[in-house]
Amino acid sequence: MATGGTSSSSGEGFLSRMALNDNKAGMEGLNRDKINKIIMESSKGSRFYENELKKEQQVNQRIERMMLQKAHITEQQLSKAQAQVEKMTSDLERGRDLSRVIVHVDMDAFYAAVETRDCPDLMDKPMAVGSMSMLSTSNYHARKFGVRAAMPGFIAKKLCPNLVIVPTNFDKYRAVSAEVREVFADYDPHFLPMSLDEAYLDISDHLEQRRGWPEALRTHQFNSKIEDHGGLQETVEVEGLSPVLFENSPSSSPCLQDAAGGEVEVFGTCAEEAVREMRFRIEQKTSLTASAGIAPNMMLAKVCSDKNKPNGQYRLPSNRQAVIDFIQDLPVRKISGIGKVTEKMLGALGITSCSHLGQEMALLALLFSETSWHHFLHISMGLGSTHIERDGERKSMSTERTFGEMGALEEQFSLCKELCQDLAQDLQKEALKGKTVTLKLKNVNFEVKTRAWTLPCAVATTEELFAVAKDLLKTEIDNVSPQPLRLRLMGVRVSSFASADDKKPLQKSIVGFLHKKQTDSSSTSQISSHKPNTNTSAETDISMSALTASDKMTHEPSAHASTSSYCSTEPESGTDSLTCPVCFREVNTTELTVFNRHIDQCLSGVTMGKLLSRCVLDSVGLRLDSSAGDHTESTTGLLLYETSTANISLSTVGLNPVCLNTCPNGDVSIHRANTLKVSSQSDPHVRVCLLSPGGPRPMTTPKPESRDHRGPALTCPVCQETQDTNDLTLFNRHVDLCLNQEVLHELGGLASVDRTTHTAPPAAHKGPCFRYVLFTE
DNA sequence: GGGGGAAGGACCA
DNA sequence: TTCCTGGTCCTTCCCCC
């Protein structure tokens, strides 16, 4: 019985989920009781153990609920389910495909084998790769003691005091993996790598070609490799490159000698021979052995590769009866996808083998979800995927870190930012942007929490990620306040990747411009006074992009404000002014309250913060027009950006357009629903205004301070003409008139404008052309 | 009631 | 003294249309 199985002895303090999982090659016939005793004694009382106990209880409750449900199933329900199962079984049977030859190749104890190859002293010693906290893999000597992957090193040491623990060296494993993959590619150029040491191949096409190959193409040399010496290829003998790690070398057939006297091996044309050749070549190339399974589908190939591990292979013939026979007595736990919880749940129903699974399918159809019982049905029939899909799109990307207890806010925010930085780099490498940012936290009691936020548009930069992650972290900190958040792990994940269009190289973000005026930098800057900021606190490094409305509102430099309030930095003594990060003006005060009030005005309610914190402008490809002074309009709720070309997704921005104007020498067009294209061939001064939700509407309330830059009185933001009126109603009518009829029509009535009261048509356009696209809630 | 987001968990290497 | 990391998929709950 593997991994505790159906054990219900947790009442005696035995935690089955923590027991040895000996479902691994090289771990048969171990003294499980003795090993489990040591594992339990090492773990008992620890926070980890307590958490595992809790999880075990949850699984037990799930089983109880399931059994209760089972008790209420009627004969009628069962026979109905049976009919459904039978119908589906016959459908699946009709579609059974036995034509493909699928191979699953798995390197034997990969990391451990690489380390042993490079340090032969380890050969006869029990060894594992990893650390005292966690082991990645162990060699077969260590497995005899119950030491296996996913076991903490300190427990492994108790099981096997002589265990040698070697630290991981992923660069090395990646290099070896690349060599192995070169061999795979010769048999299936579209092979599917599952990890550094494992892959699926469809060798059907290779076998077809192979049948016509002359013997020379199926002949491979022993212990030699080709080296390129100045363009001349020469075969050299390599010392010590024999099957060093495991017995049962694939070279079981007699060796021959080639014309040059080197030992060679000739391989046949069938599937077994092709796979034996592949393993032979891997071994000659890397001195490492691999095991393989050959079967008509991926699910079976995976099981088969484990059958003769290490350094062996197994072929399941491609006929229905062979598959059914093979599946019959196979323990469910051997199937990839059935772990300790599913095994335990099935065990509670008396199901331990795949044949049981088939027999109880009607019951399973009533107790499990459709996805689950369909999966079970496929397994019980020996069905699996026959098509190796390589280019499956990535769904998410994340990074996380485990550390010693961390309770200090500063440290937590700083780590959060570091993670965002790392993730942003990774995203950039694959040119990915995602809409959902998830923060993962594990506290010192091993309780895991994930908190996600989905943005209206895809993000990728450190600032954008941190803006969200920081908020999520802050919320969690507030939730446990006044207790500190005692963490042992933090992670950041991005998912809901944008479509191919959005995956193009990132456009310059407007966020990057919302930094200190003096710095031209694209990196994060400190919000500071004019004089060099000597503040050493980590939180002053929080960029403007991380600012949210709630942060902005935090006027007091309190503990929380220090991590999020944008204005928390104390001005340096001797400084008599501070630079507003919104309008970039000097504010003649050192009073934070006054300074904050100024910023509030600039931010115009929640708008700016909301816009920025959600990073909605990134995909717009706009930059803040800070040079012309028009930014002061932000005090009225207008944000001005200068651009020559911009595609603006209205749904992304989350705002509705209320007004568009068409200038004589530019074009504002709609090319998809909710998407505007703003471009200008002749006029470099195209401007896009984003009017914040909730903010004052500039068309109706142009405030005096915002008029300074556009002349006296009320200036129409559409035609740029100064209107000879102070009456807002009249002014509004004028603006209405300027709205492009056709565009409004296309907008489908998003704006309700009364055009029946138009006064005169707008005057002919004069002066520099500033075109505006206005959005509002 | 269905779709979609959020949260949590199972499972894998 | 000490129990990882990075990924996918599934389930459940809840909200909204």
Side-chain angles (χ1 to χ4, degrees):
Chain A
M1 188 178 67
T3 326
T6 57
S7 169
S8 59
S9 49
S10 51
E12 306 153 30
F14 178 80
L15 190 47
S16 68
R17 60 184 288 122
M18 281 191 68
L20 176 74
N21 174 3
D22 57 6
N23 179 28
K24 188 113 183 140
M27 302 196 77
E28 303 80 11
L30 301 185
N31 185 343
R32 295 191 73 234
D33 287 347
K34 190 179 160 200
I35 292 169
N36 282 331
K37 196 165 170 244
I38 296 174
I39 294 176
M40 290 308 150
E41 276 168 7
S42 309
S43 309
K44 216 159 186 181
S46 68
R47 285 173 175 148
F48 178 79
Y49 180 89
E50 294 302 318
N51 192 251
E52 288 296 296
L53 205 60
K54 212 162 84 185
K55 287 201 257 181
E56 170 124 327
Q57 283 161 0
Q58 282 168 3
V59 173
N60 288 339
Q61 283 167 8
R62 243 176 101 178
I63 291 174
E64 275 171 33
R65 283 198 300 272
M66 181 179 75
M67 299 310 275
L68 207 66
Q69 209 181 331
K70 185 189 169 207
H72 287 95
I73 291 174
T74 63
E75 279 299 319
Q76 200 184 6
Q77 284 174 314
L78 209 56
S79 52
K80 196 178 163 197
Q82 185 61 41
Q84 201 184 354
V85 167
E86 278 166 17
K87 160 104 176 44
M88 184 151 185
T89 305
S90 65
D91 287 351
L92 288 173
E93 194 56 63
R94 270 198 299 278
R96 188 189 288 272
D97 180 4
L98 295 164
S99 67
R100 307 306 295 179
V101 183
I102 308 291
V103 181
H104 178 255
V105 189
D106 195 351
M107 299 298 291
D108 301 318
F110 186 51
Y111 300 167
V114 172
E115 297 300 339
T116 304
R117 180 194 69 174
D118 297 350
C119 178
D121 283 353
L122 295 169
M123 184 91 71
D124 301 317
K125 297 187 178 112
M127 66 86 75
V129 178
S131 67
M132 283 302 254
S133 303
M134 189 51 64
L135 302 179
S136 295
T137 189
S138 59
N139 70 5
Y140 282 71
H141 294 301
R143 290 182 195 184
K144 297 276 171 261
F145 293 86
V147 173
R148 58 159 296 158
M151 176 180 276
F154 72 94
I155 289 178
K157 275 278 195 185
K158 286 185 179 154
L159 290 170
C160 174
N162 294 326
L163 181 75
V164 180
I165 298 180
V166 179
T168 48
N169 183 344
F170 280 100
D171 287 341
K172 197 155 79 176
Y173 311 145
R174 266 190 286 272
V176 181
S177 180
E179 288 184 81
V180 174
R181 288 177 186 186
E182 281 173 20
V183 177
F184 289 160
D186 287 345
Y187 297 84
D188 176 9
H190 307 294
F191 73 93
L192 173 68
M194 299 303 287
S195 60
L196 288 179
D197 71 324
E198 204 185 320
Y200 286 96
L201 295 82
D202 181 342
I203 61 166
S204 317
D205 295 344
H206 169 82
L207 290 176
E208 208 152 291
Q209 291 170 14
R210 190 182 177 91
R211 274 195 280 275
W213 279 7
E215 201 174 275
L217 282 178
R218 293 180 274 110
T219 303
H220 294 274
Q221 253 178 336
F222 266 94
N223 295 343
S224 61
K225 67 178 181 185
I226 304 297
E227 287 194 347
D228 195 339
H229 295 293
L232 292 170
Q233 286 200 334
E234 143 182 31
T235 305
V236 294
E237 287 294 314
V238 178
E239 296 243 347
L241 264 183
S242 60
V244 290
L245 300 169
F246 302 106
E247 293 163 0
N248 314 321
S249 162
S251 51
S252 53
S253 57
C255 307
L256 303 170
Q257 289 207 330
D258 65 3
E263 284 188 347
V264 294
E265 170 129 19
V266 182
F267 295 87
T269 55
C270 66
E272 281 102 324
E273 282 294 288
V275 171
R276 201 168 64 81
E277 178 190 278
M278 189 196 313
R279 292 174 45 238
F280 174 87
R281 289 179 59 200
I282 290 171
E283 189 181 343
Q284 297 308 307
K285 194 169 186 168
T286 66
S287 318
L288 303 172
T289 62
S291 298
I294 311 161
N297 64 53
M298 290 168 78
M299 187 271 284
L300 294 169
K302 167 90 180 165
V303 178
C304 289
S305 71
D306 201 46
K307 196 102 176 149
N308 287 326
K309 237 179 184 312
N311 199 18
Q313 64 183 58
Y314 181 86
R315 180 178 186 195
L316 177 60
S318 289
N319 68 73
R320 186 182 173 273
Q321 197 51 50
V323 169
I324 300 299
D325 291 347
F326 180 78
I327 278 291
Q328 281 304 298
D329 299 323
L330 197 66
V332 287
R333 186 70 157 97
K334 288 279 178 189
I335 307 291
S336 177
I338 296 191
K340 55 187 168 191
V341 174
T342 313
E343 182 195 30
K344 193 171 175 177
M345 293 190 73
L346 292 173
L349 297 167
I351 298 167
T352 54
S353 72
C354 293
S355 57
H356 293 154
L357 210 55
Q359 289 154 18
E360 301 292 342
M361 200 50 69
L363 180 63
L364 295 172
L366 292 168
L367 294 175
F368 287 81
S369 72
E370 193 174 78
T371 323
S372 297
W373 80 259
H374 282 187
H375 182 220
F376 293 148
L377 182 57
H378 277 79
I379 292 169
S380 72
M381 295 178 70
L383 295 170
S385 176
T386 54
H387 178 66
I388 295 177
E389 192 116 22
R390 184 167 186 174
D391 295 322
E393 286 214 340
R394 178 193 272 281
K395 306 283 192 319
S396 69
M397 188 183 267
S398 65
T399 186
E400 62 189 58
R401 226 166 282 164
T402 299
F403 35 81
E405 179 174 340
M406 182 189 282
L409 293 183
E410 270 186 29
E411 273 185 289
Q412 291 172 351
F413 279 102
S414 162
L415 174 69
C416 182
K417 184 153 194 184
E418 255 178 61
L419 291 167
C420 291
Q421 261 162 0
D422 292 351
L423 186 55
Q425 276 176 11
D426 292 345
L427 287 165
Q428 199 151 27
K429 279 181 205 154
E430 295 189 27
L432 290 169
K433 298 172 89 176
K435 286 185 185 174
T436 304
V437 179
T438 306
L439 180 74
K440 178 177 173 182
L441 302 172
K442 191 191 276 180
N443 67 20
V444 289
N445 294 323
F446 290 87
E447 292 160 342
V448 179
K449 272 198 173 82
T450 56
R451 293 289 178 263
W453 184 259
T454 300
L455 300 162
C457 69
V459 296
T461 67
T462 304
E463 289 79 12
E464 293 163 337
L465 298 175
F466 184 54
V468 182
K470 180 192 71 94
D471 272 2
L472 294 170
L473 176 59
K474 190 169 175 290
T475 307
E476 284 314 297
I477 289 169
D478 291 345
N479 281 348
V480 297
S481 179
Q483 300 296 316
L485 198 57
R486 296 168 66 199
L487 300 176
R488 75 181 323 279
L489 173 145
M490 191 188 292
V492 182
R493 180 166 73 234
V494 169
S495 52
S496 312
F497 289 131
S499 62
D501 273 1
D502 299 326
K503 285 185 193 168
K504 284 174 187 163
L506 312 183
Q507 291 170 308
K508 183 127 188 166
S509 163
I510 190 165
V511 173
F513 288 83
L514 290 163
H515 290 235
K516 213 169 67 172
K517 189 181 181 181
Q518 303 91 311
T519 58
D520 162 37
S521 148
S522 56
S523 66
T524 56
S525 66
Q526 296 190 342
I527 306 305
S528 65
S529 64
H530 271 286
K531 298 239 172 111
N533 191 321
T534 54
N535 194 316
T536 54
S537 92
E539 57 269 23
T540 57
D541 194 36
I542 292 166
S543 74
M544 179 59 191
S545 64
L547 176 68
T548 65
S550 60
D551 297 332
K552 181 192 62 60
M553 304 290 188
T554 313
H555 292 272
E556 299 307 318
S558 65
H560 276 169
S562 72
T563 58
S564 55
S565 175
Y566 165 60
C567 296
S568 64
T569 311
E570 287 293 337
E572 206 183 328
S573 69
T575 303
D576 53 4
S577 71
L578 294 165
T579 304
C580 170
V582 182
C583 70
F584 296 95
R585 278 176 170 170
E586 281 182 47
V587 181
N588 290 325
T589 182
T590 54
E591 287 284 318
L592 290 182
T593 321
V594 176
F595 185 52
N596 265 339
R597 199 176 303 135
H598 168 91
I599 293 172
D600 277 354
Q601 285 173 354
C602 283
L603 289 175
S604 160
V606 298
T607 309
M608 188 81 167
K610 186 170 177 182
L611 286 174
L612 291 172
S613 70
R614 301 299 169 236
C615 306
V616 294
L617 299 178
D618 179 61
S619 65
V620 178
L622 303 173
R623 68 180 175 82
L624 180 67
D625 175 20
S626 59
S627 57
D630 294 283
H631 54 269
T632 54
E633 291 210 8
S634 63
T635 56
T636 69
L638 261 179
L639 306 177
L640 298 187
Y641 306 104
E642 189 170 298
T643 181
S644 55
T645 303
N647 287 312
I648 303 167
S649 164
L650 303 186
S651 54
T652 296
V653 173
L655 307 171
N656 295 326
V658 291
C659 159
L660 302 170
N661 80 318
T662 49
C663 270
N665 52 353
D667 50 275
V668 177
S669 59
I670 295 190
H671 53 150
R672 284 200 304 272
N674 271 356
T675 305
L676 292 177
K677 187 179 176 71
V678 181
S679 64
S680 168
Q681 278 78 45
S682 55
D683 183 0
H685 299 290
V686 175
R687 300 209 166 181
V688 177
C689 310
L690 299 179
L691 173 61
S692 59
R697 305 185 177 200
M699 286 186 297
T700 55
T701 57
K703 288 181 181 170
E705 62 267 30
S706 68
R707 280 190 242 134
D708 296 344
H709 300 272
R710 286 191 285 110
L714 297 171
T715 303
C716 171
V718 183
C719 72
Q720 290 297 299
E721 292 291 323
T722 302
Q723 299 304 300
D724 192 20
T725 178
N726 280 322
D727 184 325
L728 290 182
T729 316
L730 284 176
F731 179 69
N732 262 342
R733 283 186 188 154
H734 166 84
V735 175
D736 283 351
L737 183 67
C738 290
L739 298 176
N740 181 289
Q741 199 93 25
E742 193 182 309
V743 172
L744 281 173
H745 177 72
E746 286 206 58
L747 287 171
L750 280 170
S752 60
V753 179
D754 178 9
R755 278 180 296 279
T756 60
T757 52
H758 287 162
T759 53
H765 187 77
K766 291 174 193 162
C769 173
F770 289 106
R771 290 187 298 111
Y772 291 83
V773 183
L774 306 178
F775 301 86
T776 189
E777 203 165 29

